[in-house]
Amino acid sequence: NLPEHPEEITPAFMSWALAKQYPGVTVTACEVVDVNAATATKVRVRLSYNDEGIAARLPSTMIVKGPFSRNAELMEHTFTDEMRAYRDVVSDIGVNTCRCYFAEKQGINPILILEDLATPDCQFSNVQRLMSFDEAKSILSALATLHARYWEHPGLADDGEFSWVLRTVTGWHLDFMEANSTPEQWAFFSQLPRGCALPQHTLRNRERLVAAMRKQFAFHQSGEPLTLCHGDAHVWNVYFNARGGGLIDWEMRRSPWY
């Protein structure tokens, strides 16, 4: 069974999961280092291996990501889309992202085992960190690589191989966006650190921005060429390391490139 709580991340589970890509590998010890319970829960684990694991140069820490009962039903679509993105899409398109060692789903419980990016050479972005021209260029290049690979791909049809990827701002995604545009939610998000990056006169004009947002949603369905998009490419979901600009937290959408 896939773990539903952090304490269920055991050497036996990690051995079984990693052996799918690395036959013969056994995890001899697994220690939970820290738990970050945000939208999804990210559990950093410290691992020890048998000789096969050492020979494979598997890292000493990894991130186990999943709902772990938090938002499991509410955000099932989002968690599942990310799991399938790592498993089926992003691993071989030349985009800098964290390596995926395991991606499976059981019931409403998708689990990922990912590369731990918290290394000295990695810097995570945020709204209060200045981004250089070269850094911005590297992120745009990564997004362009993704968009070009799947531009007007036949699998983007509603009955195609990517039919599992939601069309932008349709279905539950549209409901989610509408629910987060109420005056109460708008006030809540405006007070968060991300609100610091927006002019106050803009934040005060909720009605105008919501109307523009709905107009943009309608334009998304107007017949523009489709591609696969990251789905949540804001500054909190990018990082920079020796491989260049990278993207995390893939939600995936069938959408015009913008």
Side-chain angles (χ1 to χ4, degrees):
N1 292 335
L2 301 185
E4 296 182 0
H5 305 280
E7 57 268 24
E8 296 173 359
I9 304 171
T10 63
F13 164 70
M14 294 298 295
S15 296
W16 171 78
L18 294 176
K20 291 178 176 291
Q21 288 190 38
Y22 298 92
V25 165
T26 298
V27 174
T28 58
C30 175
E31 173 194 1
V32 173
V33 178
D34 54 60
V35 178
N36 179 4
T39 303
T41 298
K42 294 171 281 291
V43 182
R44 177 174 287 107
V45 293
R46 181 174 291 113
L47 305 169
S48 299
Y49 305 98
N50 64 352
D51 290 342
E52 285 81 356
I54 295 171
R57 303 183 68 180
L58 290 172
S60 60
T61 61
M62 293 183 182
I63 300 296
V64 183
K65 183 176 183 179
F68 294 114
S69 300
R70 181 183 174 89
N71 299 321
E73 294 187 18
L74 177 65
M75 304 292 289
E76 179 188 358
H77 295 287
T78 298
F79 298 149
T80 301
D81 287 350
E82 182 181 29
M83 182 275 296
R84 294 196 66 170
Y86 277 109
R87 188 187 69 188
D88 302 334
V89 178
V90 302
S91 62
D92 65 345
I93 61 174
V95 172
N96 182 14
T97 189
C98 50
R99 178 166 184 174
C100 180
Y101 295 95
F102 175 84
E104 287 194 15
K105 181 182 180 183
Q106 185 178 53
I108 62 170
N109 186 37
I111 295 294
L112 290 164
I113 301 178
L114 302 170
E115 174 187 4
D116 184 1
L117 293 171
T119 59
D121 79 322
C122 184
Q123 295 188 59
F124 289 91
S125 184
N126 62 66
V127 295
Q128 294 164 310
R129 174 188 179 275
L130 291 177
M131 187 181 298
S132 72
F133 177 88
D134 286 339
E135 288 175 337
K137 178 181 176 181
S138 69
I139 295 299
L140 291 174
S141 294
L143 292 171
T145 297
L146 171 68
H147 300 162
R149 172 72 175 268
Y150 295 103
W151 190 266
E152 296 190 289
H153 192 289
L156 296 171
D158 288 341
D159 59 352
E161 65 178 295
F162 299 116
S163 60
W164 59 271
V165 180
L166 188 70
R167 282 289 303 270
T168 295
V169 291
T170 62
W172 71 266
H173 187 222
L174 178 59
D175 295 339
F176 177 82
M177 297 296 287
E178 291 283 1
N180 281 286
S181 301
T182 64
E184 296 77 15
Q185 286 295 93
W186 191 274
F188 169 75
F189 285 117
S190 297
Q191 300 304 312
L192 296 178
R194 67 192 69 179
C196 296
L198 296 174
Q200 288 302 305
H201 72 272
T202 300
L203 290 175
R204 287 194 296 269
N205 203 340
R206 185 192 72 85
E207 291 80 6
R208 180 186 178 195
L209 288 177
V210 170
M213 181 178 69
R214 289 173 177 155
K215 184 178 179 180
Q216 182 70 20
F217 291 170
F219 188 70
H220 272 241
Q221 315 305 322
S222 65
E224 290 282 294
L226 296 181
T227 186
L228 282 183
C229 293
H230 177 280
D232 200 23
H234 57 75
V235 294
W236 293 94
N237 285 341
V238 305
Y239 65 92
F240 307 96
N241 61 11
R243 304 193 296 260
L247 296 156
I248 57 173
D249 286 6
W250 295 80
E251 289 193 11
M252 302 304 300
R253 293 290 181 267
R254 289 181 291 151
S255 170
W257 66 269
Y258 49 85

